Amino acid sequence: MDKPPQGYFDFTVYPLEGVWDISEKAKAKFDGTINKDELVYRLMIRQPDFVDQAFYRDMLELAKQKKANPLFEQLSFEQIEEGKTVQMLHVGLFDDEPQSFEKMEAFAVAEGLERLSKVHREIYLSDPRKVTPDKLKTVLRFQVK
């Protein structure tokens, strides 16, 4: 790269995010119980505002020239608008997230909001390699109307 893109600044990589759902097969027979084997997800990392589609394509091509990786073909660059959401900081085990979702759903109902679906976003603020499971911090978020 000859020069940085307009608006470039040094930045720290944003936290990993995941959008979680259950498979179509699981939805067809959903009884309120979630089987972890039926979860589906997309992982992403927010990019700073100076990264646009053209810059992404250039950097992807540069990465492909440096080292081949079959997973490059699964990458995409997208702009996501979430709209109105309810979110909460969950502290603790991932397996304890249902209790936080119960609180979030009760809040939504109390505020006259309706959860759009069971799809939700998780933003991982802690590194599980460096933090004990009871201290993991995860932002939980779902869309409402």
Side-chain angles (χ1 to χ4, degrees):
M1 176 171 61
D2 297 333
K3 65 180 186 169
Q6 183 174 358
Y8 175 83
F9 60 91
D10 287 338
F11 67 99
T12 302
V13 174
Y14 296 100
L16 180 68
E17 300 184 32
V19 174
W20 291 84
D21 197 0
I22 57 175
S23 69
E24 292 303 317
K25 180 180 171 185
K27 287 177 187 176
K29 61 180 179 74
F30 187 70
D31 63 2
T33 306
I34 295 187
N35 176 344
K36 287 184 180 180
D37 293 332
E38 297 175 324
L39 290 170
V40 293
Y41 57 90
R42 288 183 69 192
L43 296 177
M44 60 196 97
I45 298 177
R46 184 192 187 292
Q47 298 300 302
D49 291 339
F50 65 80
V51 177
D52 60 13
Q53 192 68 244
F55 185 70
Y56 161 76
R57 281 193 307 271
D58 290 346
M59 293 302 102
L60 181 59
E61 286 308 312
L62 186 62
K64 286 178 179 180
Q65 291 170 14
K66 289 186 175 192
K67 185 171 184 175
N69 187 322
L71 297 178
F72 282 146
E73 300 312 314
Q74 294 181 33
L75 296 176
S76 65
F77 181 81
E78 300 173 21
Q79 188 166 358
I80 299 171
E81 300 276 337
E82 280 190 291
K84 192 179 242 184
T85 62
V86 169
Q87 74 176 22
M88 176 179 175
L89 177 63
H90 172 80
V91 179
L93 303 168
F94 297 130
D95 286 343
D96 293 339
E97 288 178 358
Q99 291 90 332
S100 291
F101 281 113
E102 285 177 17
K103 291 177 185 177
M104 294 166 67
E105 288 171 353
F107 171 82
V109 168
E111 294 297 315
L113 303 169
E114 180 183 338
R115 185 172 180 175
L116 293 179
S117 74
K118 292 297 184 185
V119 174
H120 72 276
R121 179 182 301 257
E122 298 185 6
I123 304 172
Y124 308 104
L125 302 179
S126 304
D127 183 340
R129 299 169 299 180
K130 298 178 181 177
V131 176
T132 58
D134 62 314
K135 296 209 180 348
L136 288 170
K137 292 181 180 176
T138 308
V139 174
L140 303 176
R141 182 185 300 157
F142 58 74
Q143 292 181 303
V144 294
K145 66 175 182 174

